[in-house]
Amino acid sequence: MRILVIEDSAPMRNSICRGLVREGFAVDTAEDGEAGLSLARNNPYDVLVLDLMLPLLDGHAVLAGLNNRASRPHVLMLTAKDGIQDRVQGLNEGADDYLVKPFAFAELVARVRALVRRRYGEHNSVLAVGPLEIEPTSRRALLDGKLLDLSVREFALLEYLVTRCGETVTREEIEDHIYGVDRLPLSNAVDSTICILRAKLGPSGKDLIRTRRGLGYVFAQAV
Amino acid sequence: METKLPRPSTAKSIRSVLLSRLLVSTALVLLLAGLVVYFVVRRSLARQFDVNLQDRLQGLASLLFQEGDRLLFEFSDELMPEYARASEPDFFELRFEDGRPIERSDSLGGDNLIPPDMGTDAAFYWSLQLPGGRSGRALASVVEVHHLYPEEGPDRPQAARVLIVVARGVEERIAAEHTVLLSCLASAGVLLIILGVLTLRTVSHALAPANHLAQVLRSMDVNHLPQKLDFGPLPVELMPIAETTEELVRRLDGALQRERRTTANIAHELRTPISELVTVSEVALHEDEDPDAQREAIGTIRAVAWRMGRMVSSLLKLARLESEGLSANREQVDLAELVRAVHQGLVLARDGEGPQVVFELEGAEFPAATVDADPDALSIVVTNLLENAMHYSCSACAVTVGLEFDGEGAQLRIQNRAEGLDAKDLDRFSEPFWRKDRARSDQDHSGLGLSLARVLAERCGWSIDFALEQGLVSVTLGIPSA
């Protein structure tokens, strides 16, 4: 999943970025509202982690700039203001969730995951499709109850395909959501990862992850 | 919860003071008036009594006649029954000048009416004890007896001179005086009651605006001070109180709002580095396999902690300056030299980076380019003002420092170009943590510099004025001559 972190404090921005990458997200960052809004408008992010107090353009203005867009990412607002009025204002302006500083990093990750699930219409914290179970919180994938040994990138790709279960996902979409803007992969990195995933899924791997020639890949609903 | 101040036992009510003083004054006036009336009436009664005695004496004298050598006294009880009545009779006695008795009233009994030494007085009044123990008053007068036949020739005997004394009891007069006294007292009492009621109503009516003023102030919500107080129509005497109160409330509201903003800003500014410490440390705890990342995180934590420490120190310094007095060590300070030294220090701290600073120091041309000031305080103020200008100046612009001296003191002016400001921002320049761009404080700038400079300058008796003209911000530090 692709996350954009807009935060002007360098220590906060860098730490959040590193932490979310470690959790398997593809993360881009911006240090002011203008740069952040530009990135958000031009890239398909799943979640925006948006600080309220930003230079050049504050969080409220960024939200306003994203409204009325068709594929608007979910927004998690970060702020040091904990007043009810501030929370209500943020939510009314389009934020999907609100986190008051200082916060536990684990809570940030949990809220981001919840927003990702909401974005794809999921209500459960465990994604189950046929014999496969994905536990995003613990970064575990189980096939017929057996734990799969997956790298961070492999898990992220499998998770993305499962959340888009039944839909054809193009290579470009996979690149956008799994890799950050600064980490453009080699042209066949997606295909290589798909191959590795199929191998680790075993005999049913090819049936679970199907190729749509010329279009992309689809995670089948049933084997 | 309403808090009432303890009222000292000596606290007095305007109403009670007015009422008591007015009533006491009225009572005294009425008492005085009553006494005056009483004594006037009493004197009048006494005079009337004496006139009556005089009439009675004349009446007795008119009954005296001389026929030849004989003296005739045509008195009868029927003619003058007052001398014969059984209860409270009057008295008379007639004597020759040599003291020989002539006639006396039966009411005298065995007593005599002998006047004290009359001297040369033709008539003599005196008070005496009458027979029977009654208080009385007597009149004695020597009269010439009329001849019965005045046509008698020159051989007629000389007219006899007779001492006539009449006396009456004063019971009626005393009773009348008592009646007058009681009437005066009763009238004064009734008047006092009527005036008291009228005074009470008048005082209540007069104090109604003051009560309304107190009611308006009492109903004010101290947590939400109104911008304008509606006192309604007020008398001229209360208008200064209302106007001053309104001004005080307005200023208090402004001060409370500034305090709330400052408190919120301080909380926000402190939360930010705390958030950084929490996030950086939590992420670093999971980076066991990346020692370089952990080392970098520790460095970041250290830098943030130092920044917090500097911010807290600045806040404490600001709080101390605002609450305590400043012990100034004044001496003659070369202001131009101090400004140059501050600038050099700032350039050194910035490793030579930052906007150019242009000095327009005229002080060097003047023989007395010094000010009488605390050098440490002056250095702190100048440092904060210049550092602020250098920080917010656009990178391609220069900061201008001007210095002027005149008979009234020195004026240090620092100008920098800063876009995006407007006139209404000037009032908030020296507010803690305020900045036009609402982003948090950056790594090197706490947002307290101008606040510190303002408070310190005020303590030292200096002035700091802000001005904005066409994107050019001017801060002028005024140091008066000693």
Side-chain angles (χ1 to χ4, degrees):
Chain A
M1 306 302 164
R2 196 169 180 186
I3 313 295
L4 173 62
V5 176
I6 310 176
E7 166 65 66
D8 65 322
S9 161
M12 286 283 286
R13 185 175 64 249
N14 295 336
S15 291
I16 292 175
C17 178
R18 280 209 307 277
L20 287 175
V21 166
R22 194 185 63 239
E23 294 292 332
F25 296 101
V27 182
D28 297 329
T29 62
E31 61 179 10
D32 61 72
E34 276 186 4
L37 182 59
S38 175
L39 278 173
R41 279 174 168 168
N42 296 307
N43 293 282
Y45 293 105
D46 295 304
V47 174
L48 235 59
V49 177
L50 176 64
D51 185 31
L52 200 57
M53 303 288 279
L54 293 168
L56 302 183
L57 205 66
D58 68 10
H60 297 292
V62 171
L63 272 177
L66 289 174
N67 283 339
N68 302 321
R69 295 183 68 84
S71 59
R72 180 181 168 286
H74 284 351
V75 177
L76 171 63
M77 265 195 147
L78 304 179
T79 183
K81 293 185 178 182
D82 65 347
I84 291 178
Q85 289 294 336
D86 301 302
R87 281 188 248 174
V88 168
Q89 184 187 1
L91 293 171
N92 283 340
E93 287 173 344
D96 297 280
D97 202 356
Y98 197 101
L99 201 52
V100 177
K101 295 176 184 177
F103 51 82
F105 186 74
E107 185 177 0
L108 173 77
V109 173
R111 288 179 185 266
V112 167
R113 290 197 194 286
L115 288 176
V116 168
R117 287 198 302 273
R118 203 189 306 173
R119 182 168 176 76
Y120 293 102
E122 298 156 9
H123 302 287
N124 298 322
S125 56
V126 174
L127 306 172
V129 180
L132 185 66
E133 275 186 11
I134 304 284
E135 295 175 7
T137 309
S138 56
R139 316 291 310 154
R140 295 194 330 158
L142 299 159
L143 183 65
D144 293 324
K146 288 183 188 165
L147 186 65
L148 295 174
D149 181 22
L150 300 177
S151 71
V152 172
R153 194 66 69 202
E154 290 161 7
F155 182 88
L157 179 53
L158 181 62
E159 180 189 17
Y160 185 59
L161 288 175
V162 170
T163 57
R164 300 279 305 270
C165 181
E167 299 174 28
T168 300
V169 184
T170 65
R171 282 188 186 77
E172 290 74 25
E173 284 177 310
I174 293 173
E175 285 170 1
D176 285 339
H177 281 88
I178 305 303
Y179 299 93
V181 69
D182 293 330
R183 299 183 185 181
L184 291 175
L186 296 173
S187 59
N188 67 337
V190 173
D191 297 322
S192 300
T193 309
I194 291 290
C195 283
I196 294 170
L197 269 177
R198 278 173 172 162
K200 290 187 178 181
L201 287 170
S204 53
K206 240 184 181 176
D207 295 321
L208 283 172
I209 303 176
R210 295 181 183 171
T211 303
R212 290 279 167 86
R213 189 177 289 280
L215 292 175
Y217 301 97
V218 61
F219 194 92
Q221 281 181 316
V223 177
Chain B
M1 184 173 72
E2 187 181 320
T3 303
K4 287 192 175 178
L5 291 173
R7 297 188 178 184
S9 58
T10 53
K12 291 184 179 177
S13 155
I14 295 177
R15 181 195 304 271
S16 62
V17 168
L18 272 177
L19 277 177
S20 60
R21 289 191 179 180
L22 282 172
L23 287 177
V24 166
S25 305
T26 306
L28 284 175
V29 168
L30 287 175
L31 182 65
L32 193 63
L35 286 175
V36 168
V37 167
Y38 167 71
F39 283 112
V40 167
V41 170
R42 187 177 176 215
R43 189 172 176 184
S44 175
L45 286 174
R47 274 205 189 133
Q48 193 65 36
F49 188 86
D50 289 351
V51 167
N52 189 268
L53 273 179
Q54 178 75 22
D55 290 341
R56 287 172 189 272
L57 189 141
Q58 292 296 329
L60 289 172
S62 67
L63 297 177
L64 266 175
F65 298 98
Q66 185 172 355
E67 185 183 17
D69 292 330
R70 283 198 313 154
L71 203 62
L72 301 174
F73 185 54
E74 301 290 333
F75 175 83
S76 70
D77 290 339
E78 291 78 18
L79 190 63
M80 293 182 176
E82 60 268 21
Y83 297 103
R85 59 180 177 234
S87 171
E88 298 177 351
D90 295 346
F91 308 89
F92 73 85
E93 188 171 352
L94 280 66
R95 287 178 182 269
F96 288 105
E97 271 188 311
D98 58 9
R100 287 178 292 138
I102 303 174
E103 188 59 70
R104 55 193 286 135
S105 62
D106 293 334
S107 56
L108 266 177
D111 293 313
N112 296 311
L113 290 175
I114 301 176
D117 184 9
M118 285 176 60
T120 57
D121 291 337
F124 185 78
Y125 294 89
W126 78 101
S127 299
L128 73 168
Q129 191 88 12
L130 294 173
R134 294 160 56 207
S135 296
R137 187 161 171 84
L139 170 64
S141 181
V142 176
V143 300
E144 267 193 11
V145 181
H146 296 290
H147 283 277
L148 187 60
Y149 303 106
E151 65 276 12
E152 286 180 342
D155 295 328
R156 71 180 182 197
Q158 195 177 1
R161 289 169 59 83
V162 173
L163 173 67
I164 302 177
V165 181
V166 294
R168 291 185 63 196
V170 293
E171 300 87 4
E172 279 185 17
R173 195 191 81 188
I174 298 296
E177 287 174 357
H178 287 167
T179 302
V180 168
L181 181 62
L182 285 174
S183 299
C184 287
L185 289 175
S187 301
V190 170
L191 278 173
L192 190 62
I193 292 171
I194 294 172
L195 286 172
V197 171
L198 289 174
T199 303
L200 182 63
R201 293 186 63 162
T202 304
V203 168
S204 296
H205 182 72
L207 288 178
N211 291 334
H212 176 66
L213 187 116
Q215 183 62 31
V216 170
L217 292 176
R218 214 175 284 128
S219 65
M220 197 166 58
D221 182 355
V222 295
N223 293 316
H224 297 94
L225 294 174
Q227 285 300 309
K228 191 156 176 56
L229 294 168
D230 181 17
F231 291 115
L234 285 174
V236 171
E237 290 82 1
L238 293 181
M239 284 180 69
I241 298 175
E243 288 164 1
T244 305
T245 303
E246 205 167 65
E247 174 65 18
L248 282 172
V249 167
R250 193 180 58 77
R251 292 177 70 178
L252 182 61
D253 185 51
L256 287 173
Q257 287 193 24
R258 280 195 299 278
E259 187 185 332
R260 285 192 200 109
R261 281 201 299 268
T262 301
T263 303
N265 287 340
I266 290 172
H268 180 262
E269 295 294 327
L270 287 176
R271 270 187 166 154
T272 300
I274 290 172
S275 301
E276 290 171 355
L277 291 174
V278 169
T279 304
V280 170
S281 58
E282 283 192 349
V283 170
L285 280 173
H286 291 90
E287 290 177 326
D288 298 340
E289 297 164 9
D290 191 346
D292 290 337
Q294 284 196 326
R295 204 173 295 118
E296 184 187 342
I298 291 170
T300 301
I301 289 168
R302 183 174 176 275
V304 171
W306 273 111
R307 197 174 91 228
M308 274 189 76
R310 285 195 299 273
M311 187 191 305
V312 170
S313 295
S314 297
L315 282 170
L316 286 173
K317 201 182 297 181
L318 189 62
R320 259 202 304 274
L321 280 173
E322 285 181 329
S323 64
E324 297 172 5
L326 181 71
S327 55
N329 302 315
R330 299 167 73 103
E331 58 187 69
Q332 291 297 310
V333 179
D334 187 326
L335 189 52
E337 185 182 328
L338 181 141
V339 173
R340 288 191 194 278
V342 165
H343 172 245
Q344 284 172 6
L346 289 172
V347 168
L348 197 64
R350 288 164 164 260
D351 294 329
E353 295 181 5
Q356 182 192 9
V357 177
V358 176
F359 287 89
E360 297 174 353
L361 299 178
E362 300 174 6
E365 301 171 7
F366 288 83
T370 59
V371 291
D372 183 44
D374 183 326
D376 293 334
L378 189 56
S379 176
I380 291 172
V381 172
V382 172
T383 300
N384 278 289
L385 294 180
L386 186 55
E387 194 269 340
N388 188 78
M390 292 171 69
H391 181 82
Y392 285 104
S393 177
C394 59
S395 53
C397 310
V399 173
T400 308
V401 179
L403 186 56
E404 296 171 5
F405 286 90
D406 58 27
E408 294 183 5
Q411 304 282 324
L412 174 68
R413 187 188 67 256
I414 301 173
Q415 286 182 320
N416 65 281
R417 187 158 291 280
E419 303 299 333
L421 293 172
D422 46 52
K424 65 176 188 285
D425 295 328
L426 291 178
D427 290 336
R428 301 192 66 183
F429 269 19
S430 61
E431 206 170 284
F433 301 117
W434 183 86
R435 51 187 59 75
K436 182 69 176 185
D437 189 330
R438 291 187 295 154
R440 71 171 67 77
S441 56
D442 55 49
Q443 304 287 338
D444 303 317
H445 202 77
S446 69
L448 293 169
L450 287 184
S451 303
L452 273 168
R454 176 186 58 80
V455 173
L456 193 48
E458 283 175 1
R459 290 284 177 195
C460 295
W462 309 330
S463 64
I464 290 186
D465 297 304
F466 300 99
L468 176 67
E469 192 172 353
Q470 294 177 343
L472 199 65
V473 177
S474 296
V475 178
T476 304
L477 172 66
I479 302 173
S481 301

